[in-house]
Amino acid sequence: MLTIVAVCCFSFTLAYVSSCVSKRNASSGWTTTPYKIGVPYFPDSLNIPRDNPMTVEGVELGRYLFYDGRLAGRTHKDSLMSCATCHRQSHSFECGIDHPKFKGGKTFGLTGIPTPHYMMPLINLVWVNEGYMWNGFIHASNEKKADKYGVSAEYGFNYKNLESFVWMMIVAPHEGNGNIEQTLALLRSDSLYPPMFKKAFGTEEITIDRVSKAVAQFVRSLVSFNSKFDRFMRGEVNLTESERRGFFLFSTERADCFHCHGSPALPLWTTNQFMNNAKDVDFTDNNDRSSVTGNELDKGKYRIPTLRNIEFTAPYMHDGSFSTLDEVLEFYNSGLKRSPYVDPLMINVNHGGTYLTPEERADLKAFLLTLSDSSFITNPAFSNPCPNNEFFINE
Ligand code: HEC
Ligand code: HEC
C-alpha cells in the first residue's frame, strides 16, 4: 500500500518543481487527496490527531516549510535556519557527526545557545504514542503551556504533538529565538506559498496553526520500511550467516537487546518506553524523564531510540557520549554502571555487561547494519524541494 502512496507523492513532487520560481497558481476549488500510511507488518496505532488528517497537498506543503530557512524569521544568509539545518535526510534526519556547523553532532540555535540534548532521528514517528523528545515531554495529554526549555508562557501554545515542534523551533532560545509574526510575515511575502496553502487548507491564509499542521504532516510521512532486514522479512533477500547469528544474539538474553529495542514483530526497533540503560551513575541532566513525571525513580530514563538506520546517526545517546557503533557495543559489553535507577531489564548490570566474544560482537554489529534503509535517506519525496533557491537549505 505504501508503495502506491510513494509513487503518487513523487509525481506530485514533480508537478511542484516549477513552484520554486515563486509563481502564483490560480487554481480554484478545493479538493485534497488523502495520504495513507500503512505498512502491512507495522503496528496499527498511528498518532495522527483528528484535526490534522494527512493529505498529499499538506505533506508537500510541509516539505517546503521544513526546508525553508526563513522559518526562524530572518532572511540574511547567515541567519537562515530550517528544520533541515539540524535534521538532515542523509543522516536519517539527525545532524550527524560531520555537520559543518555542529562539530561532533552538538547542535545550537541561531544565538549560539546549545540544545539541551543531542539529536534524535525523524523516522517512523507516526507510530510514537508515548511522547516525543528524549524525555517524552510532548504528549497528547499535556496541558502545560509554559516555561519549558526557556520558552515563555506568553505564547499560550500547547506541547501536545508533532505540531508543537514548529512554534517551539521559531521561539526557543536554543533554536530560532525568533518571533512568530515575523516568520509568518516572511512566508506571506513569498508568492510561492498562498497557492500551496490554498491547496492544502482551502484558502490562501497563512497562519501558525496551518504552518504547524503542514510540517507535522510531512514529519509523519517520514516512514522507513525498506531495510535489508525488512526485505528479509518479506522474503526478498537472505541474511548472511553472520547477520543471522547477530539477530539471534540480539533476540535472546545472550546480548539482551530485544527487551527494549524490539523485534521483527515490532519493526520500529524500539518499544518507545522510557528506560535507564545503566550508562550513568550521577544524574545531572535537568531534562531527563524525571523532569517530566516528577518521579525520582525516572532519573536517567530516556525514550529508547530506534535502531533503524543506526549506521547514519552518530553520535549516540542523549548526550552524544559515543561517537561510533563500536563504542556503543563496547558499552553494553563491559561498561554498564550500577545505580538505584537502572532498569531491571538490564539483566547483566551486576556483571558490568554481556561480555560477548569478539566474533559474537562482530555478528551483532552485522545484524544491526541490516537495519539500514538507504532508500529512506535518498527518497526524493523527503528531500529539499528547491535546492537552487537560496532560502531552501539542507543544513
Ligand atoms: C538547532 C537544531 C534543531 C532544529 C533547527 C530543529 N530541531 Fe528538532 N530536534 C533537535 C534536537 C537536539 C532534538 C532532541 C531534543 C530533545 O529531546 O532534547 C530534536 C528533536 C526533535 C523531534 C523529536 C523526535 C522524537 O523522536 O521524539 C522532532 C519531532 C523534531 N525535533 C522536529 C523538528 C522540526 C519539525 C523542526 C523544524 C520546525 C526542528 N525539529 C528543528 C534539534 C533541532
Ligand atoms: C533496558 C533497556 C535497554 C536495553 C536492554 C538495551 N538498550 Fe540500547 N538504549 C536504551 C536506551 C534508554 C537508550 C538511550 C539512552 C541515552 O540516551 O542515554 C539506548 C541507546 C542505544 C543506542 C544509541 C541510539 C541512538 O540513537 O543514540 C544503541 C545503538 C543501542 N542502544 C543499542 C543497543 C544494543 C545493541 C543492545 C543490546 C546489546 C541494547 N541497546 C540494549 C535502552 C536499552
CSV table of all heavy atoms in Angstrom, one decimal, residues 5-60:
chain,number,residue,atom,x,y,z
A,5,VAL,N,1.4,5.0,-2.4
A,5,VAL,CA,1.5,6.4,-1.9
A,5,VAL,C,2.7,7.1,-2.3
A,5,VAL,O,2.7,8.2,-2.8
A,5,VAL,CB,1.3,6.4,-0.4
A,5,VAL,CG1,1.6,7.7,0.2
A,5,VAL,CG2,0.0,5.9,0.0
A,6,ALA,N,3.9,6.3,-2.2
A,6,ALA,CA,5.2,6.9,-2.5
A,6,ALA,C,5.2,7.3,-4.0
A,6,ALA,O,5.6,8.4,-4.3
A,6,ALA,CB,6.3,5.9,-2.2
A,7,VAL,N,4.6,6.5,-4.8
A,7,VAL,CA,4.6,6.9,-6.3
A,7,VAL,C,3.8,8.1,-6.5
A,7,VAL,O,4.2,9.1,-7.2
A,7,VAL,CB,4.1,5.7,-7.1
A,7,VAL,CG1,3.8,6.1,-8.5
A,7,VAL,CG2,5.0,4.5,-7.0
A,8,CYS,N,2.7,8.2,-5.8
A,8,CYS,CA,1.8,9.3,-6.0
A,8,CYS,C,2.4,10.6,-5.5
A,8,CYS,O,2.4,11.6,-6.1
A,8,CYS,CB,0.4,9.0,-5.5
A,8,CYS,SG,-0.1,10.1,-4.2
A,9,CYS,N,3.2,10.5,-4.4
A,9,CYS,CA,3.9,11.7,-3.9
A,9,CYS,C,4.9,12.1,-4.8
A,9,CYS,O,5.2,13.3,-5.0
A,9,CYS,CB,4.6,11.4,-2.5
A,9,CYS,SG,3.4,11.1,-1.3
A,10,PHE,N,5.6,11.2,-5.4
A,10,PHE,CA,6.7,11.5,-6.3
A,10,PHE,C,6.2,12.3,-7.5
A,10,PHE,O,6.7,13.3,-7.8
A,10,PHE,CB,7.4,10.2,-6.7
A,10,PHE,CG,8.7,10.6,-7.5
A,10,PHE,CD1,9.7,11.4,-7.0
A,10,PHE,CD2,8.8,10.1,-8.8
A,10,PHE,CE1,10.8,11.7,-7.7
A,10,PHE,CE2,9.9,10.4,-9.5
A,10,PHE,CZ,10.9,11.2,-9.0
A,11,SER,N,5.1,11.9,-8.1
A,11,SER,CA,4.6,12.6,-9.2
A,11,SER,C,4.1,14.0,-8.8
A,11,SER,O,4.3,15.0,-9.5
A,11,SER,CB,3.5,11.8,-9.9
A,11,SER,OG,2.5,11.6,-9.0
A,12,PHE,N,3.6,14.1,-7.6
A,12,PHE,CA,3.2,15.4,-7.1
A,12,PHE,C,4.4,16.3,-6.9
A,12,PHE,O,4.3,17.4,-7.3
A,12,PHE,CB,2.5,15.1,-5.7
A,12,PHE,CG,1.8,16.3,-5.2
A,12,PHE,CD1,0.5,16.6,-5.7
A,12,PHE,CD2,2.4,17.2,-4.3
A,12,PHE,CE1,-0.2,17.8,-5.2
A,12,PHE,CE2,1.7,18.4,-3.9
A,12,PHE,CZ,0.5,18.6,-4.3
A,13,THR,N,5.5,15.7,-6.4
A,13,THR,CA,6.7,16.5,-6.3
A,13,THR,C,7.1,17.0,-7.6
A,13,THR,O,7.4,18.2,-7.8
A,13,THR,CB,7.8,15.5,-5.8
A,13,THR,OG1,7.4,14.9,-4.6
A,13,THR,CG2,9.1,16.3,-5.5
A,14,LEU,N,7.1,16.2,-8.6
A,14,LEU,CA,7.5,16.7,-10.0
A,14,LEU,C,6.6,17.8,-10.4
A,14,LEU,O,7.1,18.8,-10.9
A,14,LEU,CB,7.4,15.5,-11.0
A,14,LEU,CG,8.4,14.4,-10.8
A,14,LEU,CD1,8.2,13.4,-11.8
A,14,LEU,CD2,9.8,15.0,-10.8
A,15,ALA,N,5.3,17.7,-10.1
A,15,ALA,CA,4.3,18.7,-10.5
A,15,ALA,C,4.7,20.1,-9.8
A,15,ALA,O,4.4,21.1,-10.3
A,15,ALA,CB,2.9,18.3,-10.2
A,16,TYR,N,5.4,20.0,-8.7
A,16,TYR,CA,5.6,21.2,-7.9
A,16,TYR,C,7.0,21.8,-8.2
A,16,TYR,O,7.3,22.8,-7.6
A,16,TYR,CB,5.5,20.8,-6.4
A,16,TYR,CG,4.2,21.4,-5.9
A,16,TYR,CD1,3.1,20.7,-5.7
A,16,TYR,CD2,4.1,22.8,-5.7
A,16,TYR,CE1,1.9,21.2,-5.3
A,16,TYR,CE2,3.0,23.4,-5.2
A,16,TYR,CZ,1.9,22.6,-5.0
A,16,TYR,OH,0.7,23.1,-4.6
A,17,VAL,N,7.8,21.2,-9.0
A,17,VAL,CA,9.2,21.7,-9.1
A,17,VAL,C,9.1,23.1,-9.6
A,17,VAL,O,9.9,24.0,-9.1
A,17,VAL,CB,10.0,20.8,-10.1
A,17,VAL,CG1,11.3,21.5,-10.5
A,17,VAL,CG2,10.3,19.5,-9.5
A,18,SER,N,8.2,23.5,-10.5
A,18,SER,CA,8.1,24.8,-11.0
A,18,SER,C,7.8,25.8,-9.9
A,18,SER,O,8.0,27.0,-10.1
A,18,SER,CB,7.1,24.9,-12.1
A,18,SER,OG,5.9,24.6,-11.6
A,19,SER,N,7.2,25.4,-8.8
A,19,SER,CA,6.8,26.3,-7.7
A,19,SER,C,8.1,27.0,-7.2
A,19,SER,O,7.9,28.1,-6.6
A,19,SER,CB,6.2,25.5,-6.6
A,19,SER,OG,5.1,24.8,-7.0
A,20,CYS,N,9.2,26.5,-7.3
A,20,CYS,CA,10.4,27.1,-6.7
A,20,CYS,C,10.7,28.5,-7.3
A,20,CYS,O,11.4,29.2,-6.7
A,20,CYS,CB,11.6,26.2,-7.0
A,20,CYS,SG,11.5,24.6,-6.2
A,21,VAL,N,10.1,28.8,-8.5
A,21,VAL,CA,10.4,30.1,-9.0
A,21,VAL,C,9.3,31.1,-8.5
A,21,VAL,O,9.1,32.2,-9.1
A,21,VAL,CB,10.4,30.1,-10.6
A,21,VAL,CG1,11.7,29.4,-11.0
A,21,VAL,CG2,9.2,29.5,-11.2
A,22,SER,N,8.5,30.7,-7.5
A,22,SER,CA,7.6,31.6,-6.8
A,22,SER,C,6.5,32.2,-7.8
A,22,SER,O,6.3,33.4,-7.8
A,22,SER,CB,8.3,32.7,-6.1
A,22,SER,OG,9.2,32.2,-5.2
A,23,LYS,N,5.9,31.3,-8.5
A,23,LYS,CA,4.8,31.8,-9.4
A,23,LYS,C,3.4,31.6,-8.7
A,23,LYS,O,3.2,30.6,-8.0
A,23,LYS,CB,4.8,31.1,-10.7
A,23,LYS,CG,5.7,31.7,-11.7
A,23,LYS,CD,5.4,31.2,-13.1
A,23,LYS,CE,6.4,31.6,-14.1
A,23,LYS,NZ,6.8,30.6,-15.0
A,24,ARG,N,2.5,32.5,-8.9
A,24,ARG,CA,1.2,32.4,-8.3
A,24,ARG,C,0.4,31.4,-9.2
A,24,ARG,O,0.4,31.4,-10.4
A,24,ARG,CB,0.5,33.7,-8.3
A,24,ARG,CG,-0.5,33.8,-7.2
A,24,ARG,CD,-0.9,35.3,-7.1
A,24,ARG,NE,-0.3,36.0,-6.0
A,24,ARG,CZ,-0.8,36.0,-4.7
A,24,ARG,NH1,-1.9,35.3,-4.5
A,24,ARG,NH2,-0.2,36.6,-3.8
A,25,ASN,N,-0.2,30.5,-8.5
A,25,ASN,CA,-1.0,29.5,-9.2
A,25,ASN,C,-2.5,29.7,-9.0
A,25,ASN,O,-3.0,29.7,-7.9
A,25,ASN,CB,-0.6,28.1,-8.6
A,25,ASN,CG,-1.4,27.0,-9.2
A,25,ASN,OD1,-2.4,27.2,-9.9
A,25,ASN,ND2,-1.0,25.7,-8.9
A,26,ALA,N,-3.2,30.1,-10.1
A,26,ALA,CA,-4.6,30.5,-9.9
A,26,ALA,C,-5.5,29.3,-9.9
A,26,ALA,O,-6.5,29.3,-10.7
A,26,ALA,CB,-4.9,31.5,-11.0
A,27,SER,N,-5.3,28.3,-9.1
A,27,SER,CA,-6.2,27.2,-9.1
A,27,SER,C,-7.5,27.5,-8.3
A,27,SER,O,-7.5,28.4,-7.4
A,27,SER,CB,-5.5,26.0,-8.4
A,27,SER,OG,-5.3,26.3,-7.1
A,28,SER,N,-8.6,27.0,-8.6
A,28,SER,CA,-9.8,27.3,-7.9
A,28,SER,C,-10.4,26.0,-7.4
A,28,SER,O,-10.1,24.9,-7.9
A,28,SER,CB,-10.8,28.0,-8.8
A,28,SER,OG,-11.0,27.1,-10.0
A,29,GLY,N,-11.3,26.1,-6.5
A,29,GLY,CA,-12.0,24.9,-5.9
A,29,GLY,C,-11.0,24.2,-5.0
A,29,GLY,O,-9.8,24.5,-5.0
A,30,TRP,N,-11.5,23.3,-4.1
A,30,TRP,CA,-10.6,22.7,-3.1
A,30,TRP,C,-10.9,21.2,-2.9
A,30,TRP,O,-12.0,20.9,-2.4
A,30,TRP,CB,-10.7,23.4,-1.7
A,30,TRP,CG,-9.7,22.9,-0.8
A,30,TRP,CD1,-8.4,22.7,-1.0
A,30,TRP,CD2,-10.0,22.6,0.6
A,30,TRP,NE1,-7.8,22.2,0.2
A,30,TRP,CE2,-8.7,22.1,1.2
A,30,TRP,CE3,-11.1,22.6,1.5
A,30,TRP,CZ2,-8.6,21.7,2.5
A,30,TRP,CZ3,-10.9,22.2,2.8
A,30,TRP,CH2,-9.7,21.7,3.3
A,31,THR,N,-10.0,20.4,-3.4
A,31,THR,CA,-10.1,19.0,-3.1
A,31,THR,C,-8.7,18.6,-2.6
A,31,THR,O,-7.7,19.1,-3.1
A,31,THR,CB,-10.4,18.2,-4.3
A,31,THR,OG1,-9.5,18.6,-5.4
A,31,THR,CG2,-11.9,18.3,-4.8
A,32,THR,N,-8.7,17.6,-1.7
A,32,THR,CA,-7.4,17.1,-1.2
A,32,THR,C,-7.4,15.6,-1.4
A,32,THR,O,-8.4,15.0,-1.5
A,32,THR,CB,-7.2,17.4,0.3
A,32,THR,OG1,-8.3,17.0,1.0
A,32,THR,CG2,-6.9,18.9,0.5
A,33,THR,N,-6.2,15.1,-1.5
A,33,THR,CA,-6.0,13.6,-1.7
A,33,THR,C,-5.5,13.0,-0.4
A,33,THR,O,-4.5,13.5,0.1
A,33,THR,CB,-4.9,13.4,-2.8
A,33,THR,OG1,-5.1,14.4,-3.8
A,33,THR,CG2,-5.0,12.0,-3.4
A,34,PRO,N,-6.3,12.1,0.2
A,34,PRO,CA,-5.8,11.5,1.4
A,34,PRO,C,-4.4,10.9,1.3
A,34,PRO,O,-4.2,10.3,0.2
A,34,PRO,CB,-6.9,10.5,1.7
A,34,PRO,CG,-8.0,10.8,0.9
A,34,PRO,CD,-7.5,11.5,-0.3
A,35,TYR,N,-3.6,11.1,2.2
A,35,TYR,CA,-2.2,10.5,2.2
A,35,TYR,C,-2.3,9.3,3.2
A,35,TYR,O,-2.5,9.5,4.4
A,35,TYR,CB,-1.2,11.5,2.7
A,35,TYR,CG,0.2,11.0,2.6
A,35,TYR,CD1,1.0,11.5,1.6
A,35,TYR,CD2,0.8,10.1,3.5
A,35,TYR,CE1,2.4,11.1,1.5
A,35,TYR,CE2,2.1,9.7,3.4
A,35,TYR,CZ,2.9,10.2,2.4
A,35,TYR,OH,4.2,9.8,2.3
A,36,LYS,N,-2.2,8.1,2.7
A,36,LYS,CA,-2.4,6.9,3.5
A,36,LYS,C,-1.1,6.4,4.0
A,36,LYS,O,-0.1,6.2,3.2
A,36,LYS,CB,-3.1,5.8,2.7
A,36,LYS,CG,-4.6,6.2,2.4
A,36,LYS,CD,-5.5,5.1,2.8
A,36,LYS,CE,-6.9,5.5,3.0
A,36,LYS,NZ,-7.5,6.3,1.9
A,37,ILE,N,-1.0,6.1,5.3
A,37,ILE,CA,0.2,5.4,5.8
A,37,ILE,C,-0.2,4.0,6.2
A,37,ILE,O,-1.2,3.9,7.0
A,37,ILE,CB,0.8,6.2,7.0
A,37,ILE,CG1,1.5,7.4,6.4
A,37,ILE,CG2,1.8,5.3,7.7
A,37,ILE,CD1,2.3,8.2,7.4
A,38,GLY,N,0.5,3.0,5.8
A,38,GLY,CA,0.2,1.7,6.3
A,38,GLY,C,1.2,0.7,5.7
A,38,GLY,O,1.5,0.7,4.5
A,39,VAL,N,2.0,0.1,6.6
A,39,VAL,CA,2.9,-1.0,6.2
A,39,VAL,C,2.4,-2.2,6.8
A,39,VAL,O,2.1,-2.3,8.0
A,39,VAL,CB,4.3,-0.7,6.6
A,39,VAL,CG1,5.3,-1.6,6.0
A,39,VAL,CG2,4.7,0.8,6.3
A,40,PRO,N,2.2,-3.3,6.0
A,40,PRO,CA,1.4,-4.5,6.5
A,40,PRO,C,1.8,-5.0,7.8
A,40,PRO,O,1.0,-5.3,8.6
A,40,PRO,CB,1.7,-5.5,5.4
A,40,PRO,CG,2.0,-4.7,4.2
A,40,PRO,CD,2.6,-3.4,4.6
A,41,TYR,N,3.1,-5.1,8.1
A,41,TYR,CA,3.5,-5.8,9.4
A,41,TYR,C,3.9,-4.7,10.5
A,41,TYR,O,4.5,-5.1,11.5
A,41,TYR,CB,4.6,-6.8,9.1
A,41,TYR,CG,5.8,-6.2,8.4
A,41,TYR,CD1,6.9,-5.7,9.0
A,41,TYR,CD2,5.8,-6.1,7.0
A,41,TYR,CE1,8.0,-5.2,8.3
A,41,TYR,CE2,6.8,-5.6,6.3
A,41,TYR,CZ,7.9,-5.1,6.9
A,41,TYR,OH,9.0,-4.6,6.2
A,42,PHE,N,3.6,-3.5,10.3
A,42,PHE,CA,3.8,-2.4,11.3
A,42,PHE,C,2.6,-2.3,12.2
A,42,PHE,O,1.5,-2.7,11.8
A,42,PHE,CB,4.1,-1.1,10.6
A,42,PHE,CG,5.5,-0.9,10.2
A,42,PHE,CD1,6.2,-1.9,9.5
A,42,PHE,CD2,6.2,0.3,10.6
A,42,PHE,CE1,7.5,-1.7,9.1
A,42,PHE,CE2,7.6,0.4,10.2
A,42,PHE,CZ,8.2,-0.5,9.5
A,43,PRO,N,2.7,-1.7,13.4
A,43,PRO,CA,1.6,-1.6,14.3
A,43,PRO,C,0.5,-0.7,13.6
A,43,PRO,O,0.8,0.1,12.8
A,43,PRO,CB,2.1,-0.9,15.5
A,43,PRO,CG,3.6,-1.1,15.5
A,43,PRO,CD,4.0,-1.3,14.0
A,44,ASP,N,-0.8,-0.9,14.1
A,44,ASP,CA,-1.9,-0.1,13.6
A,44,ASP,C,-2.0,1.3,14.3
A,44,ASP,O,-2.8,2.1,13.8
A,44,ASP,CB,-3.2,-0.8,13.8
A,44,ASP,CG,-3.3,-2.1,13.1
A,44,ASP,OD1,-2.6,-2.2,12.0
A,44,ASP,OD2,-3.9,-3.1,13.6
A,45,SER,N,-1.3,1.5,15.4
A,45,SER,CA,-1.6,2.6,16.3
A,45,SER,C,-1.0,3.9,15.8
A,45,SER,O,0.1,4.3,16.3
A,45,SER,CB,-1.1,2.3,17.6
A,45,SER,OG,0.3,1.9,17.5
A,46,LEU,N,-1.5,4.5,14.7
A,46,LEU,CA,-0.9,5.7,14.2
A,46,LEU,C,-1.3,6.9,15.0
A,46,LEU,O,-2.4,7.1,15.4
A,46,LEU,CB,-1.4,6.0,12.8
A,46,LEU,CG,-1.1,4.9,11.8
A,46,LEU,CD1,-1.7,5.2,10.4
A,46,LEU,CD2,0.4,4.7,11.6
A,47,ASN,N,-0.3,7.8,15.3
A,47,ASN,CA,-0.6,9.0,16.1
A,47,ASN,C,-0.8,10.2,15.1
A,47,ASN,O,0.1,10.9,14.8
A,47,ASN,CB,0.6,9.3,17.0
A,47,ASN,CG,0.4,10.5,17.9
A,47,ASN,OD1,-0.5,11.2,17.7
A,47,ASN,ND2,1.3,10.7,18.8
A,48,ILE,N,-2.1,10.3,14.7
A,48,ILE,CA,-2.5,11.3,13.8
A,48,ILE,C,-3.7,12.1,14.4
A,48,ILE,O,-4.7,11.5,14.6
A,48,ILE,CB,-2.9,10.8,12.4
A,48,ILE,CG1,-1.7,10.0,11.8
A,48,ILE,CG2,-3.4,12.0,11.5
A,48,ILE,CD1,-2.1,9.4,10.4
A,49,PRO,N,-3.5,13.3,14.9
A,49,PRO,CA,-4.6,14.0,15.6
A,49,PRO,C,-5.8,14.2,14.6
A,49,PRO,O,-5.6,14.4,13.4
A,49,PRO,CB,-4.0,15.4,16.0
A,49,PRO,CG,-2.6,15.4,15.6
A,49,PRO,CD,-2.3,14.2,14.7
A,50,ARG,N,-6.9,14.1,15.2
A,50,ARG,CA,-8.2,14.2,14.4
A,50,ARG,C,-8.3,15.5,13.6
A,50,ARG,O,-8.8,15.5,12.5
A,50,ARG,CB,-9.4,14.1,15.3
A,50,ARG,CG,-10.3,13.0,14.9
A,50,ARG,CD,-11.4,12.8,15.8
A,50,ARG,NE,-11.3,11.4,16.4
A,50,ARG,CZ,-11.9,11.0,17.5
A,50,ARG,NH1,-12.7,11.8,18.1
A,50,ARG,NH2,-11.7,9.8,17.9
A,51,ASP,N,-7.7,16.6,14.2
A,51,ASP,CA,-7.9,17.9,13.5
A,51,ASP,C,-6.8,18.1,12.4
A,51,ASP,O,-6.6,19.2,11.9
A,51,ASP,CB,-7.9,19.0,14.5
A,51,ASP,CG,-6.6,19.2,15.2
A,51,ASP,OD1,-5.7,18.3,15.1
A,51,ASP,OD2,-6.5,20.2,15.9
A,52,ASN,N,-5.9,17.1,12.2
A,52,ASN,CA,-4.9,17.3,11.2
A,52,ASN,C,-4.7,16.0,10.3
A,52,ASN,O,-3.6,15.4,10.3
A,52,ASN,CB,-3.6,17.7,11.8
A,52,ASN,CG,-2.6,18.2,10.8
A,52,ASN,OD1,-2.9,18.5,9.6
A,52,ASN,ND2,-1.3,18.2,11.2
A,53,PRO,N,-5.7,15.6,9.6
A,53,PRO,CA,-5.6,14.4,8.7
A,53,PRO,C,-4.5,14.6,7.7
A,53,PRO,O,-4.4,15.8,7.2
A,53,PRO,CB,-7.0,14.2,8.1
A,53,PRO,CG,-7.6,15.6,8.2
A,53,PRO,CD,-7.0,16.3,9.4
A,54,MET,N,-3.8,13.6,7.3
A,54,MET,CA,-2.8,13.8,6.3
A,54,MET,C,-3.3,13.8,4.9
A,54,MET,O,-4.2,13.0,4.5
A,54,MET,CB,-1.7,12.6,6.4
A,54,MET,CG,-0.9,12.8,7.7
A,54,MET,SD,0.2,11.4,8.0
A,54,MET,CE,1.4,11.7,6.7
A,55,THR,N,-2.9,14.8,4.1
A,55,THR,CA,-3.2,14.8,2.7
A,55,THR,C,-2.0,15.0,1.9
A,55,THR,O,-0.9,15.5,2.4
A,55,THR,CB,-4.1,16.1,2.4
A,55,THR,OG1,-3.4,17.3,2.7
A,55,THR,CG2,-5.4,16.1,3.3
A,56,VAL,N,-2.0,14.6,0.6
A,56,VAL,CA,-0.9,14.7,-0.2
A,56,VAL,C,-0.5,16.2,-0.3
A,56,VAL,O,0.7,16.5,-0.3
A,56,VAL,CB,-1.2,14.2,-1.6
A,56,VAL,CG1,-0.1,14.5,-2.7
A,56,VAL,CG2,-1.4,12.7,-1.6
A,57,GLU,N,-1.4,17.1,-0.4
A,57,GLU,CA,-1.2,18.5,-0.5
A,57,GLU,C,-0.5,19.1,0.8
A,57,GLU,O,0.4,19.9,0.7
A,57,GLU,CB,-2.5,19.3,-0.8
A,57,GLU,CG,-3.1,18.9,-2.2
A,57,GLU,CD,-3.9,17.6,-2.2
A,57,GLU,OE1,-4.0,17.0,-1.1
A,57,GLU,OE2,-4.4,17.2,-3.2
A,58,GLY,N,-1.0,18.6,1.9
A,58,GLY,CA,-0.5,19.1,3.2
A,58,GLY,C,0.9,18.6,3.4
A,58,GLY,O,1.8,19.3,3.9
A,59,VAL,N,1.2,17.3,3.1
A,59,VAL,CA,2.5,16.8,3.2
A,59,VAL,C,3.5,17.5,2.3
A,59,VAL,O,4.6,17.9,2.8
A,59,VAL,CB,2.6,15.3,2.9
A,59,VAL,CG1,4.0,14.7,2.7
A,59,VAL,CG2,1.8,14.5,3.9
A,60,GLU,N,3.1,17.8,1.1
A,60,GLU,CA,4.0,18.5,0.2
A,60,GLU,C,4.3,20.0,0.7
A,60,GLU,O,5.4,20.4,0.7
A,60,GLU,CB,3.4,18.5,-1.2
A,60,GLU,CG,4.3,19.1,-2.3
A,60,GLU,CD,5.6,18.3,-2.5
A,60,GLU,OE1,5.8,17.3,-1.8
A,60,GLU,OE2,6.5,18.7,-3.3
